[in-house]
Amino acid sequence: MPEYKLVIEGGRALKGETQVSGGKNTSLAVIPATILAEDPCLLDNLPDISDVRVLEKIFSHLGAKVSWNPEGKQMGIDPSNLTTNTVPFHLSQRMRASYYLMGALLGRYGYARVGYPGGCDLGSRPIDQHLKGFRALGASIKEEQGMIVLEGKLRGANINFDMVTVGGTINVMLAACRAEGDTTLTNCAKEPHIVDTANFLNRIGAHIRGAGTDTIRIRGVNKLRGASYTVIPDQIETGTLMIAAAATRGDVVIRGCIPTHMEALTAKLLEMGILVTSQDDVISVQLRQGHRAIRLSTQEYPGFPTDLQQPMSALLTRAVGTSEVIENIFDSRFKHLDEMRKMGAKSTINGRVAYIEGVPELQGAPVYAPDLRGGAALVIAGLMANGITEIYNPENIARGYEHLESKLNALGGSIRREPLELDNNNAISI
Ligand code: EPU
């Protein structure tokens, strides 16, 4: 579709049942991990999001045989005959997770040439911990015309991360799988997608223990085979749907999720007076009346996820009282609050702390999706608001949510795509 905007008619309570898609951040790690295998892999339950399509393009560029079936959620990857170890900048900068090509190519071939990663602008996002890990495993690293070139025969090592990093933990784990000898990673991140990536790697023959704790031990093996693997459901999509249900004072049943991954969010919703129940792979969220302000502080898993801070702050714009939101993971993850102010939300930002004063109502307005989760937060604000909200730059949302509009519409929301009008110079007129 050419450039479009989302048009939301707000004020409708979401009601009914919905199904969670496969995890974005787990898929974006497991797909690159297939490079470590010598035989074809079949991945199942992948979400149909634009970041997955970018990875498909990167794999085709590398010479892998890829067949992506978005309806069936399956991707077959034959990585056995790559024709290049270079991921050019025009592809790498289209997503954050392109950094996993460094660990995977280096681990498999002892050589990788990868452009800098892109992704949401959340302030400074260095990858020094990834590079520190690769170096400790024996890689030499240099920069050539803006490309990162990694080379060397890898040997197991003990690596302590200076800070807890999701991408760094997974990337160094990828590189260490086929290194000679044993690797111990300490101060690791524990997110569910780290466990899922380790489970996939073990399925193809790796020897990884401790994923999901802060110490991961890897015994290097010299060959990894192919396998079929189904990725876990998306933790952040589950949370976004839970928050949207509460924000519209709705009554929604979310199926196909993992409730234990949602404990930090569930605890906060309960504290606000929202009814949340769960059983097996189902979570129900219900809100009839108003909800209370809270204090929220983002943390690494199992703490409150930074990726849900933005959707959650949409819900807080209408809470009774003033909420305090502390963003501990990223420098700059409050741009969506500037946009919500156009809708009548009240907030002040002081560095990494935002104060959100609840108001009785939001009014629809034209707003700009600053990044993926900020875009989702604006969709929730639009669903809550009176009147029409237009969201510009919604491509940011499609990077990470599978069919978000149709899922919300099936629950009674009213969201449509409208093409942007272009003037004679092809400039976008808003
Ligand atoms: N950091 C460093 N050096 C490093 C690595 C990280 O200083 O080498 C810092 C970062 O700047 C940040 C903190 O450590 O302040 C945590 O960063 P982390 O490495 O954990 O994040 P990431 O790998 O860049 C992934 C997800 C993000 C998610 C974060 C935190 C992917 C592709 N991205 O990013 O997802 O917010 O972990 O959970 O998995 C999203 O889905 O919207 C998204 C942004």
Side-chain angles (χ1 to χ4, degrees), residues 13 28 49 52 108 123 143 164 167 190 228 233 235 245 263 292 318 330-331 381 390 392 426:
L28 300 184
I49 53 176
V52 165
R108 171 82 166 87
E143 227 183 286
V164 176
K190 301 180 229 163
S228 304
Q235 176 202 17
E263 279 169 4
R292 296 184 283 278
R318 285 191 61 197
F330 290 110
D331 293 338
E390 293 177 340
Y392 292 84
N426 265 358

PDB file of all heavy atoms in Angstrom, residues 13 28 49 52 108 123 143 164 167 190 228 233 235 245 263 292 318 330-331 381 390 392 426:
ATOM      1  N   ALA A  13     -15.939   0.622  23.270  1.00  0.00           N
ATOM      2  CA  ALA A  13     -15.326  -0.378  24.166  1.00  0.00           C
ATOM      3  C   ALA A  13     -14.964  -1.624  23.357  1.00  0.00           C
ATOM      4  O   ALA A  13     -15.748  -2.075  22.524  1.00  0.00           O
ATOM      5  CB  ALA A  13     -16.312  -0.730  25.269  1.00  0.00           C
ATOM      6  N   LEU A  28      12.859 -12.348  15.398  1.00  0.00           N
ATOM      7  CA  LEU A  28      13.976 -11.581  14.817  1.00  0.00           C
ATOM      8  C   LEU A  28      15.328 -12.106  15.292  1.00  0.00           C
ATOM      9  O   LEU A  28      16.361 -11.746  14.732  1.00  0.00           O
ATOM     10  CB  LEU A  28      13.835 -10.091  15.165  1.00  0.00           C
ATOM     11  CG  LEU A  28      12.550  -9.425  14.656  1.00  0.00           C
ATOM     12  CD1 LEU A  28      12.558  -7.940  14.972  1.00  0.00           C
ATOM     13  CD2 LEU A  28      12.350  -9.658  13.163  1.00  0.00           C
ATOM     14  N   ILE A  49       5.024  -9.309   9.916  1.00  0.00           N
ATOM     15  CA  ILE A  49       5.337  -7.905  10.226  1.00  0.00           C
ATOM     16  C   ILE A  49       6.453  -7.471   9.276  1.00  0.00           C
ATOM     17  O   ILE A  49       7.166  -8.311   8.723  1.00  0.00           O
ATOM     18  CB  ILE A  49       5.795  -7.740  11.703  1.00  0.00           C
ATOM     19  CG1 ILE A  49       6.953  -8.702  12.018  1.00  0.00           C
ATOM     20  CG2 ILE A  49       4.647  -7.953  12.656  1.00  0.00           C
ATOM     21  CD1 ILE A  49       7.542  -8.544  13.413  1.00  0.00           C
ATOM     22  N   VAL A  52      10.058  -8.820   9.757  1.00  0.00           N
ATOM     23  CA  VAL A  52      10.311 -10.194   9.268  1.00  0.00           C
ATOM     24  C   VAL A  52      10.564 -10.158   7.762  1.00  0.00           C
ATOM     25  O   VAL A  52      11.441 -10.855   7.240  1.00  0.00           O
ATOM     26  CB  VAL A  52       9.136 -11.133   9.640  1.00  0.00           C
ATOM     27  CG1 VAL A  52       9.192 -12.441   8.856  1.00  0.00           C
ATOM     28  CG2 VAL A  52       9.153 -11.435  11.140  1.00  0.00           C
ATOM     29  N   ARG A 108      29.301 -18.898  12.391  1.00  0.00           N
ATOM     30  CA  ARG A 108      29.264 -19.967  11.384  1.00  0.00           C
ATOM     31  C   ARG A 108      30.513 -19.959  10.496  1.00  0.00           C
ATOM     32  O   ARG A 108      31.057 -20.997  10.171  1.00  0.00           O
ATOM     33  CB  ARG A 108      28.015 -19.761  10.530  1.00  0.00           C
ATOM     34  CG  ARG A 108      27.890 -20.617   9.307  1.00  0.00           C
ATOM     35  CD  ARG A 108      27.328 -21.992   9.677  1.00  0.00           C
ATOM     36  NE  ARG A 108      26.885 -22.707   8.507  1.00  0.00           N
ATOM     37  CZ  ARG A 108      27.659 -23.467   7.747  1.00  0.00           C
ATOM     38  NH1 ARG A 108      28.931 -23.619   8.052  1.00  0.00           N
ATOM     39  NH2 ARG A 108      27.176 -24.085   6.693  1.00  0.00           N
ATOM     40  N   GLY A 123      16.911   7.152  21.732  1.00  0.00           N
ATOM     41  CA  GLY A 123      18.124   7.713  22.336  1.00  0.00           C
ATOM     42  C   GLY A 123      19.300   6.865  21.887  1.00  0.00           C
ATOM     43  O   GLY A 123      19.183   6.043  20.977  1.00  0.00           O
ATOM     44  N   GLU A 143      36.342  -1.212  11.601  1.00  0.00           N
ATOM     45  CA  GLU A 143      35.298  -0.543  10.842  1.00  0.00           C
ATOM     46  C   GLU A 143      35.861  -0.163   9.488  1.00  0.00           C
ATOM     47  O   GLU A 143      36.956   0.399   9.408  1.00  0.00           O
ATOM     48  CB  GLU A 143      34.887   0.722  11.596  1.00  0.00           C
ATOM     49  CG  GLU A 143      33.403   0.852  11.684  1.00  0.00           C
ATOM     50  CD  GLU A 143      32.996   2.130  12.367  1.00  0.00           C
ATOM     51  OE1 GLU A 143      33.148   2.208  13.593  1.00  0.00           O
ATOM     52  OE2 GLU A 143      32.556   3.049  11.641  1.00  0.00           O
ATOM     53  N   VAL A 164      22.840  -5.162  31.664  1.00  0.00           N
ATOM     54  CA  VAL A 164      21.963  -6.225  31.167  1.00  0.00           C
ATOM     55  C   VAL A 164      21.468  -5.820  29.779  1.00  0.00           C
ATOM     56  O   VAL A 164      20.817  -4.790  29.627  1.00  0.00           O
ATOM     57  CB  VAL A 164      20.787  -6.431  32.137  1.00  0.00           C
ATOM     58  CG1 VAL A 164      19.820  -7.470  31.588  1.00  0.00           C
ATOM     59  CG2 VAL A 164      21.317  -6.869  33.502  1.00  0.00           C
ATOM     60  N   GLY A 167      19.868  -7.716  23.397  1.00  0.00           N
ATOM     61  CA  GLY A 167      20.530  -7.973  22.119  1.00  0.00           C
ATOM     62  C   GLY A 167      21.928  -8.528  22.321  1.00  0.00           C
ATOM     63  O   GLY A 167      22.345  -9.466  21.625  1.00  0.00           O
ATOM     64  N   LYS A 190      17.214 -11.866  30.786  1.00  0.00           N
ATOM     65  CA  LYS A 190      16.445 -13.096  31.035  1.00  0.00           C
ATOM     66  C   LYS A 190      15.110 -13.116  30.303  1.00  0.00           C
ATOM     67  O   LYS A 190      14.214 -13.895  30.653  1.00  0.00           O
ATOM     68  CB  LYS A 190      16.174 -13.193  32.548  1.00  0.00           C
ATOM     69  CG  LYS A 190      17.430 -13.226  33.380  1.00  0.00           C
ATOM     70  CD  LYS A 190      17.092 -13.321  34.853  1.00  0.00           C
ATOM     71  CE  LYS A 190      17.865 -12.292  35.598  1.00  0.00           C
ATOM     72  NZ  LYS A 190      17.568 -11.880  36.857  1.00  0.00           N
ATOM     73  N   SER A 228      12.688 -28.155  12.658  1.00  0.00           N
ATOM     74  CA  SER A 228      11.475 -27.324  12.657  1.00  0.00           C
ATOM     75  C   SER A 228      11.337 -26.719  14.040  1.00  0.00           C
ATOM     76  O   SER A 228      11.676 -27.382  15.034  1.00  0.00           O
ATOM     77  CB  SER A 228      10.228 -28.166  12.395  1.00  0.00           C
ATOM     78  OG  SER A 228      10.390 -28.851  11.206  1.00  0.00           O
ATOM     79  N   PRO A 233       4.514 -17.082  21.607  1.00  0.00           N
ATOM     80  CA  PRO A 233       3.658 -15.916  21.349  1.00  0.00           C
ATOM     81  C   PRO A 233       4.308 -14.612  21.823  1.00  0.00           C
ATOM     82  O   PRO A 233       5.200 -14.625  22.675  1.00  0.00           O
ATOM     83  CB  PRO A 233       2.392 -16.214  22.147  1.00  0.00           C
ATOM     84  CG  PRO A 233       2.663 -17.396  22.992  1.00  0.00           C
ATOM     85  CD  PRO A 233       3.909 -18.056  22.519  1.00  0.00           C
ATOM     86  N   GLN A 235       4.960 -11.467  23.728  1.00  0.00           N
ATOM     87  CA  GLN A 235       4.699 -10.913  25.068  1.00  0.00           C
ATOM     88  C   GLN A 235       4.176  -9.470  24.972  1.00  0.00           C
ATOM     89  O   GLN A 235       3.258  -9.075  25.687  1.00  0.00           O
ATOM     90  CB  GLN A 235       6.015 -10.948  25.861  1.00  0.00           C
ATOM     91  CG  GLN A 235       5.961 -10.336  27.232  1.00  0.00           C
ATOM     92  CD  GLN A 235       7.355  -9.921  27.739  1.00  0.00           C
ATOM     93  OE1 GLN A 235       8.311  -9.796  26.970  1.00  0.00           O
ATOM     94  NE2 GLN A 235       7.455  -9.717  29.032  1.00  0.00           N
ATOM     95  N   ALA A 245      -7.692  -3.218  25.954  1.00  0.00           N
ATOM     96  CA  ALA A 245      -8.976  -3.664  26.507  1.00  0.00           C
ATOM     97  C   ALA A 245      -9.357  -2.785  27.703  1.00  0.00           C
ATOM     98  O   ALA A 245     -10.482  -2.283  27.797  1.00  0.00           O
ATOM     99  CB  ALA A 245      -8.869  -5.123  26.934  1.00  0.00           C
ATOM    100  N   GLU A 263       3.309 -11.205  34.119  1.00  0.00           N
ATOM    101  CA  GLU A 263       3.027 -10.966  35.537  1.00  0.00           C
ATOM    102  C   GLU A 263       3.257  -9.513  35.956  1.00  0.00           C
ATOM    103  O   GLU A 263       2.488  -8.963  36.745  1.00  0.00           O
ATOM    104  CB  GLU A 263       3.832 -11.941  36.406  1.00  0.00           C
ATOM    105  CG  GLU A 263       3.119 -13.281  36.447  1.00  0.00           C
ATOM    106  CD  GLU A 263       3.930 -14.411  37.039  1.00  0.00           C
ATOM    107  OE1 GLU A 263       5.060 -14.164  37.518  1.00  0.00           O
ATOM    108  OE2 GLU A 263       3.426 -15.553  37.012  1.00  0.00           O
ATOM    109  N   ARG A 292      -7.171   3.761  38.770  1.00  0.00           N
ATOM    110  CA  ARG A 292      -6.318   4.628  39.583  1.00  0.00           C
ATOM    111  C   ARG A 292      -4.943   4.853  38.962  1.00  0.00           C
ATOM    112  O   ARG A 292      -4.431   3.982  38.240  1.00  0.00           O
ATOM    113  CB  ARG A 292      -6.087   3.975  40.955  1.00  0.00           C
ATOM    114  CG  ARG A 292      -7.327   3.825  41.787  1.00  0.00           C
ATOM    115  CD  ARG A 292      -6.970   3.249  43.154  1.00  0.00           C
ATOM    116  NE  ARG A 292      -6.707   1.813  43.101  1.00  0.00           N
ATOM    117  CZ  ARG A 292      -7.660   0.874  43.111  1.00  0.00           C
ATOM    118  NH1 ARG A 292      -8.935   1.213  43.155  1.00  0.00           N
ATOM    119  NH2 ARG A 292      -7.344  -0.395  43.074  1.00  0.00           N
ATOM    120  N   ARG A 318      -5.894   8.683  31.465  1.00  0.00           N
ATOM    121  CA  ARG A 318      -7.264   8.860  31.979  1.00  0.00           C
ATOM    122  C   ARG A 318      -7.445   8.279  33.389  1.00  0.00           C
ATOM    123  O   ARG A 318      -8.571   8.123  33.860  1.00  0.00           O
ATOM    124  CB  ARG A 318      -8.277   8.222  31.029  1.00  0.00           C
ATOM    125  CG  ARG A 318      -8.478   9.061  29.785  1.00  0.00           C
ATOM    126  CD  ARG A 318      -9.669   8.568  28.982  1.00  0.00           C
ATOM    127  NE  ARG A 318     -10.910   8.649  29.728  1.00  0.00           N
ATOM    128  CZ  ARG A 318     -12.032   7.983  29.397  1.00  0.00           C
ATOM    129  NH1 ARG A 318     -12.025   7.192  28.360  1.00  0.00           N
ATOM    130  NH2 ARG A 318     -13.127   8.121  30.114  1.00  0.00           N
ATOM    131  N   PHE A 330      15.874   3.040  28.386  1.00  0.00           N
ATOM    132  CA  PHE A 330      16.297   3.889  27.265  1.00  0.00           C
ATOM    133  C   PHE A 330      16.264   5.371  27.641  1.00  0.00           C
ATOM    134  O   PHE A 330      15.461   5.798  28.463  1.00  0.00           O
ATOM    135  CB  PHE A 330      15.407   3.632  26.038  1.00  0.00           C
ATOM    136  CG  PHE A 330      15.645   2.278  25.423  1.00  0.00           C
ATOM    137  CD1 PHE A 330      14.687   1.270  25.518  1.00  0.00           C
ATOM    138  CD2 PHE A 330      16.834   1.983  24.768  1.00  0.00           C
ATOM    139  CE1 PHE A 330      14.913   0.011  24.975  1.00  0.00           C
ATOM    140  CE2 PHE A 330      17.069   0.731  24.223  1.00  0.00           C
ATOM    141  CZ  PHE A 330      16.109  -0.255  24.320  1.00  0.00           C
ATOM    142  N   ASP A 331      17.139   6.158  26.981  1.00  0.00           N
ATOM    143  CA  ASP A 331      17.268   7.597  27.270  1.00  0.00           C
ATOM    144  C   ASP A 331      16.032   8.374  26.860  1.00  0.00           C
ATOM    145  O   ASP A 331      15.681   9.371  27.477  1.00  0.00           O
ATOM    146  CB  ASP A 331      18.409   8.216  26.434  1.00  0.00           C
ATOM    147  CG  ASP A 331      19.762   7.696  26.828  1.00  0.00           C
ATOM    148  OD1 ASP A 331      19.867   7.203  27.968  1.00  0.00           O
ATOM    149  OD2 ASP A 331      20.695   7.770  25.999  1.00  0.00           O
ATOM    150  N   ALA A 381      -4.631   5.483  22.536  1.00  0.00           N
ATOM    151  CA  ALA A 381      -5.179   6.803  22.876  1.00  0.00           C
ATOM    152  C   ALA A 381      -6.316   7.158  21.913  1.00  0.00           C
ATOM    153  O   ALA A 381      -7.357   7.695  22.326  1.00  0.00           O
ATOM    154  CB  ALA A 381      -4.072   7.857  22.825  1.00  0.00           C
ATOM    155  N   GLU A 390      -6.107  10.861  13.761  1.00  0.00           N
ATOM    156  CA  GLU A 390      -5.370  10.415  12.571  1.00  0.00           C
ATOM    157  C   GLU A 390      -3.931  10.167  12.999  1.00  0.00           C
ATOM    158  O   GLU A 390      -3.308  11.029  13.624  1.00  0.00           O
ATOM    159  CB  GLU A 390      -5.383  11.497  11.502  1.00  0.00           C
ATOM    160  CG  GLU A 390      -6.770  11.748  10.938  1.00  0.00           C
ATOM    161  CD  GLU A 390      -6.752  12.894   9.935  1.00  0.00           C
ATOM    162  OE1 GLU A 390      -5.811  13.714   9.947  1.00  0.00           O
ATOM    163  OE2 GLU A 390      -7.702  12.961   9.145  1.00  0.00           O
ATOM    164  N   TYR A 392      -0.230   9.564  11.709  1.00  0.00           N
ATOM    165  CA  TYR A 392       0.707   9.620  10.584  1.00  0.00           C
ATOM    166  C   TYR A 392       1.930   8.770  10.904  1.00  0.00           C
ATOM    167  O   TYR A 392       2.242   8.529  12.059  1.00  0.00           O
ATOM    168  CB  TYR A 392       1.093  11.090  10.298  1.00  0.00           C
ATOM    169  CG  TYR A 392      -0.106  11.833   9.755  1.00  0.00           C
ATOM    170  CD1 TYR A 392      -1.066  12.381  10.598  1.00  0.00           C
ATOM    171  CD2 TYR A 392      -0.320  11.906   8.384  1.00  0.00           C
ATOM    172  CE1 TYR A 392      -2.199  12.993  10.106  1.00  0.00           C
ATOM    173  CE2 TYR A 392      -1.453  12.515   7.871  1.00  0.00           C
ATOM    174  CZ  TYR A 392      -2.383  13.055   8.734  1.00  0.00           C
ATOM    175  OH  TYR A 392      -3.513  13.649   8.239  1.00  0.00           O
ATOM    176  N   ASN A 426       4.891  15.673  -5.100  1.00  0.00           N
ATOM    177  CA  ASN A 426       4.952  14.424  -4.351  1.00  0.00           C
ATOM    178  C   ASN A 426       5.248  14.635  -2.866  1.00  0.00           C
ATOM    179  O   ASN A 426       5.599  13.709  -2.170  1.00  0.00           O
ATOM    180  CB  ASN A 426       5.996  13.464  -4.925  1.00  0.00           C
ATOM    181  CG  ASN A 426       5.347  12.501  -5.885  1.00  0.00           C
ATOM    182  OD1 ASN A 426       4.133  12.559  -6.060  1.00  0.00           O
ATOM    183  ND2 ASN A 426       6.138  11.649  -6.498  1.00  0.00           N
TER     184      ASN A 426
END
